[in-house]
Amino acid sequence: MLVHTPAHSQMAGTLSYTSEHALPPGTLVRVPLGQRELLGVVWEQQPISDDTPPMDPSKLRPVAAVLDALAPLSVHWRTLIHFAASYYQRSAGEVALAALPPQLRDISSLQLARKLKKKAKSQLKAQAAPATDATPPQDIPELVALTPEQTRAIGQFDDNPGPFLLFGATGSGKTEVFMRCAADVLASSDSSQVLVMVPEINLTPQLEERFKARFCAQYGLEAVVSMHSGLTPAQRLASWLAAHSGNARIVLGTRMAVFASMPHLALIVVDEEHDPSYKSQDGARYSARDLAVYRGKLEGAKVLLGSATPSLESWYHSRPAAEGGRYMRLEMPSRVGANAILPLVRRVDMNHQPKGSVISPPLLDAIGQRITRGEQSMVFLNRRGYAPVLSCADCDWKSNCPHCSAFRVFHKIDRTLRCHHCGFTERVPRACPDCGSLDIAPVGRGTERLEEQLALLLSSMSRPDGSAVRIARIDADTTKLKGSLESQLAQVHSGEVDVLVGTQMIAKGHDFRRITLVAAINPDGALFSSDFRSPERLFGLLMQAAGRAGRDASNTSRSEMWVQTFHPTHPLYETLKQHDYPAFAASQLVERQQAGMPPFSFQALVRADARTQEAAQAFLNSASSACDGLAELAPWREHITLYPAVPMSIQRVANVERAQMLLESPSRAALQRFLNAWQPTLHAMRSQPQCKGLLRWAIDVDPLLI
């Protein structure tokens, strides 16, 4: 039996219970554990070794209830869970139970049976109801004409097994290819299912709307469902049940949807496959993109990864098969429409602009020209709040968070200092807390301050109809309320907004038809980061942001991407100007190979949280030192490089000190075997005197943030 137990717990394996009736693997049950009653999954019996002590039947507790109204979870689903738990070094129970809807953990077998019965009745009633004029057969939308590039990509998809990497420019019609491929798969069988994954919740509504418009008229109103954490528990359960029963033919979701129970899965689409949001940073730190590829191979389903800026790992895997490539690359380099061309990239050398200027005069003039023509502009700054720090000019006090090694961000709209790591919030002080000076001022800028400054700079301008210029801001602060993001996007699409200000939330995935100018403010910070993936992330983000401009082919004015930088001759900006992702990827892969970085090596991080930084690092260094004397690690030790423990980039969060240790190997298999054999040592180290104060530890395989 699997129940939810954390990886660092000594109860991380399967647990044994008694049952009056034989239960097939995959059956959902409720079982007692201590004073609680938990949801569990019946699992295959584990092999018993010779040194395992005999089990006392009198000490086994009985299964409390069986959720027999549900069909058992399939062998493919259980294999996926087992692989994910093994590869990412977590307990299978933790992965399995986290993949199930939360409401399923609290519902009784009787309540579940009633819910399913009610659902079945409503479906029969809908099927028996006579057709109405509201949903006639002709409501199926007329298909748009495909470009030659789209036709070629779909033909290659139909004729080959995959996996596929659809490398298409922004605006090249990748979503239409996804829908055509999905339609072919659904038409091939009466029961086949399609999983479509997006990186963020805010991209789900517009995609769901398009898929429902295309498929619900043919397959029914419940053929398309969503799965993401933004749904209510009842909605998540309803979507999961629809997928598990096979009634949902298309499931749209974020990374958690990769574990959806879909018994007839035939196609997995991973949109914006490069996005780091597909890699979980909490709990089981899995990569949904990589698990999608594994699941496709496991279940015989085709896998289609799509991006205008693929991850370097996927790009490397899609090299020609003769060179060792594992994916088939489908290319669509052109935008849809005769007049639809990629935006012209303009670099503004901020060294030659007025000192302290936020928006350079040439960029301000370009935005003004768009406003007078009735076009829209988008200004992108990947930092929310008014200013990243509040500072005293007299004593150099700064708005540090008392619980984290980070600054509290100044939010002017509610006059608060807010830590974006632990959530600690205070009102802005009237005077400096240290010296009492009234001269405290914001340093730097976020989207809130940028919005304010743009409003001031554009106050003398007017729209073509004579009304005032309208500026909107979309970031995590303005989209907290349910439905706020949808209403704000609707205003942008309808043309009510002239200038859109926001973070990376608006820089990818959205189809803004009226935007003809995109500007990136101060992107230089990522050029000199210690993280070797920063150039890749910056280039992808800028190209995705540029792709929001000029998507309407009927607009004859040339769209533009403006980049304000102090390093205009940097090679990254040179390749961005040419929209030449292959050249950028080639140069980055050469650097990665020379430095022995992924995808030419494989990495894992061991992270430790403790009450003191000394205890966190002592745990990691002690575990590292113990490796050399263990015979079970000897076969793999020579293939592994263990680096010394260091504090994390933000070493203290919510009064918890954090440290990490990097492991690197040229062999994925050697790294996995080493980690598996090392687990008992990590468990044993918790009881060492020098590790007193250790709270928890975790392994992160294939980490994105180092």
Side-chain angles (χ1 to χ4, degrees):
M1 194 78 63
L2 288 185
V3 295
H4 195 301
T5 54
H8 54 266
S9 168
Q10 296 290 348
M11 296 174 56
T14 55
L15 303 179
S16 298
Y17 291 87
T18 61
S19 174
E20 295 180 359
H21 308 285
L23 300 176
T27 302
L28 293 176
V29 295
R30 301 193 66 81
V31 295
L33 183 65
Q35 300 299 317
R36 299 176 297 162
E37 190 174 279
L38 303 178
L39 181 68
V41 184
V42 178
W43 217 248
E44 285 81 1
Q45 185 172 354
Q46 302 299 307
I48 300 175
S49 61
D50 296 337
D51 56 350
T52 302
M55 189 178 301
D56 185 357
S58 64
K59 293 184 179 180
L60 296 182
R61 303 174 72 177
V63 170
V66 180
L67 303 184
D68 49 9
L70 280 178
L73 296 159
S74 70
V75 63
H76 285 146
W77 187 88
R78 301 195 305 274
T79 304
L80 174 68
I81 294 297
H82 175 76
F83 171 80
S86 174
Y87 184 81
Y88 293 104
Q89 303 294 317
R90 309 296 293 193
S91 71
E94 178 187 18
V95 178
L97 275 299
L100 299 175
Q103 200 174 57
L104 206 56
R105 305 170 197 170
D106 304 319
I107 199 169
S108 68
S109 56
L110 181 60
Q111 289 172 319
L112 180 60
R114 287 175 178 171
K115 184 180 286 288
L116 293 174
K117 187 176 180 180
K118 182 179 179 181
K119 187 73 173 176
K121 282 184 177 180
S122 64
Q123 289 174 347
L124 289 174
K125 185 177 180 180
Q127 294 171 2
T132 65
D133 294 336
T135 56
Q138 58 265 30
D139 277 355
I140 298 176
E142 184 178 348
L143 298 179
V144 299
L146 294 175
T147 66
E149 291 178 358
Q150 289 174 317
T151 302
R152 183 174 63 252
I154 294 172
Q156 292 175 313
F157 173 85
D158 292 337
D159 296 338
N160 295 277
F164 303 93
L165 174 63
L166 179 59
F167 171 52
T170 52
S172 61
K174 292 188 291 296
T175 303
E176 182 64 27
V177 172
F178 296 157
M179 290 195 290
R180 293 292 183 103
C181 293
D184 292 344
V185 167
L186 294 179
S188 65
S189 168
D190 292 336
S191 60
S192 57
Q193 295 175 291
V194 175
L195 172 62
V196 182
M197 297 171 58
V198 292
E200 295 182 4
I201 294 175
N202 69 76
L203 297 178
T204 307
Q206 66 174 16
L207 195 64
E208 184 177 7
E209 184 179 343
R210 292 187 64 177
F211 270 83
K212 283 186 173 180
R214 176 70 64 88
F215 294 103
C216 284
Q218 182 177 359
Y219 295 103
L221 296 177
E222 298 182 349
V224 180
V225 300
S226 293
M227 282 189 184
H228 54 76
S229 59
L231 301 175
T232 65
Q235 290 172 327
R236 288 179 65 176
L237 178 60
S239 295
W240 187 89
L241 291 174
H244 179 67
S245 64
N247 292 329
R249 303 295 300 278
I250 300 175
V251 174
L252 306 175
T254 51
R255 64 172 179 255
M256 61 181 289
V258 75
F259 294 115
S261 175
M262 303 175 67
H264 309 294
L265 185 61
L267 170 64
I268 305 176
V269 175
V270 184
D271 194 14
E272 308 291 359
E273 66 84 31
H274 66 279
D275 199 287
S277 298
Y278 282 121
K279 181 71 161 70
S280 172
Q281 298 300 327
D282 299 302
R285 291 170 168 81
Y286 62 89
S287 167
R289 179 199 65 208
D290 296 345
L291 285 180
V293 175
Y294 174 83
R295 186 173 187 179
K297 182 178 180 181
L298 175 69
E299 302 197 34
K302 288 191 174 183
V303 178
L304 179 57
L305 313 177
S307 177
T309 54
S311 65
L312 288 179
E313 286 80 2
S314 295
W315 184 259
Y316 179 71
H317 292 323
S318 68
R319 67 195 189 279
E323 300 176 13
R326 298 190 288 114
Y327 303 167
M328 182 174 186
R329 189 183 301 169
L330 314 177
E331 299 190 6
M332 298 196 309
S334 305
R335 282 187 158 185
V336 175
N339 297 325
I341 57 177
L342 292 168
L344 175 67
V345 177
R346 296 183 180 274
R347 290 165 289 180
V348 180
D349 189 347
M350 296 302 288
N351 296 294
H352 299 152
Q353 301 303 316
K355 187 176 181 180
S357 60
V358 180
I359 304 293
S360 62
L363 174 56
L364 186 64
D365 181 62
I367 294 175
Q369 293 178 28
R370 294 307 199 274
I371 294 173
T372 57
R373 293 202 299 260
E375 299 170 3
Q376 293 175 321
S377 301
M378 185 178 87
V379 183
F380 161 69
L381 176 64
N382 203 24
R383 176 178 286 160
R384 61 188 174 101
Y386 188 85
V389 63
L390 205 61
S391 178
C392 174
D394 291 340
C395 71
D396 204 30
W397 169 86
K398 290 181 174 58
S399 54
N400 295 289
C401 176
H403 310 297
C404 306
S405 52
F407 294 117
R408 284 175 292 165
V409 177
F410 173 40
H411 290 259
K412 187 177 181 180
I413 193 168
D414 57 2
R415 301 293 298 176
T416 60
L417 293 175
R418 193 181 312 161
C419 178
H420 290 174
H421 300 281
C422 71
F424 178 68
T425 303
E426 280 187 335
R427 298 287 297 174
V428 173
R430 295 181 179 275
C432 174
D434 286 355
C435 70
S437 171
L438 297 177
D439 191 13
I440 53 176
V443 178
R445 64 189 55 85
T447 50
E448 190 180 330
R449 190 177 192 181
L450 183 60
E451 178 190 22
E452 179 184 273
Q453 292 171 329
L454 271 171
L456 180 63
L457 293 170
L458 300 174
S459 59
S460 60
M461 298 197 62
S462 59
R463 310 179 78 195
D465 60 2
S467 60
V469 174
R470 301 175 186 174
I471 301 174
R473 172 168 55 94
I474 296 181
D475 55 28
D477 295 322
T478 64
T479 56
K480 289 179 180 178
L481 300 178
K482 186 175 179 62
S484 58
L485 175 62
E486 289 79 1
S487 63
Q488 288 176 296
L489 291 176
Q491 291 177 349
V492 178
H493 292 308
S494 65
E496 297 178 39
V497 174
D498 299 299
V499 181
L500 176 62
V501 178
T503 58
Q504 64 178 359
M505 286 180 65
I506 62 172
K508 52 191 177 184
H510 296 289
D511 189 19
F512 298 125
R513 311 301 295 181
R514 300 169 182 259
I515 287 179
T516 57
L517 182 147
V518 172
I521 308 298
N522 192 27
D524 290 343
L527 294 177
F528 309 103
S529 171
S530 59
D531 185 351
F532 70 91
R533 283 192 171 90
S534 286
E536 176 188 0
R537 283 195 286 267
L538 176 61
F539 187 86
L541 194 56
L542 292 178
M543 274 202 72
Q544 292 288 334
R548 300 316 106 202
R551 298 176 74 89
D552 188 355
S554 64
N555 195 324
T556 55
S557 63
R558 179 72 187 269
S559 60
E560 295 178 343
M561 167 69 172
W562 289 64
V563 180
Q564 292 193 162
T565 172
F566 287 95
H567 307 277
T569 60
H570 193 282
L572 186 146
Y573 295 135
E574 292 286 349
T575 51
L576 178 69
K577 183 176 178 62
Q578 305 300 324
H579 298 279
D580 195 350
Y581 175 82
F584 171 79
S587 65
Q588 285 292 300
L589 286 173
V590 168
E591 292 182 12
R592 297 271 188 97
Q593 188 172 24
Q594 291 173 344
M597 295 290 188
F600 303 99
S601 68
F602 304 93
Q603 296 178 332
L605 282 174
V606 183
R607 293 192 168 105
D609 294 351
R611 301 190 187 283
T612 64
Q613 185 64 215
E614 292 74 20
Q617 292 194 35
F619 167 77
L620 297 173
N621 288 325
S622 298
S624 176
S625 301
C627 293
D628 297 328
L630 297 175
E632 56 269 30
L633 297 177
W636 323 114
R637 181 65 183 87
E638 61 179 307
H639 303 288
I640 307 295
T641 301
L642 282 89
Y643 294 91
V646 295
M648 292 182 62
S649 56
I650 300 178
Q651 70 178 57
R652 181 166 52 92
V653 172
N655 293 322
V656 173
E657 294 286 342
R658 311 186 305 167
Q660 64 185 20
M661 180 169 60
L662 177 66
L663 291 80
E664 206 167 50
S665 174
S667 168
R668 188 195 301 272
L671 181 61
Q672 280 291 316
R673 292 189 176 104
F674 178 86
L675 290 173
N676 283 326
W678 197 27
Q679 288 266 8
T681 302
L682 291 169
H683 282 292
M685 283 296 162
R686 297 198 64 171
S687 59
Q688 298 297 316
Q690 67 269 28
C691 303
K692 185 178 180 181
L694 180 73
L695 300 175
R696 66 187 72 88
W697 58 271
I699 296 176
D700 186 358
V701 179
D702 300 334
L704 287 186
L705 301 174
I706 297 178

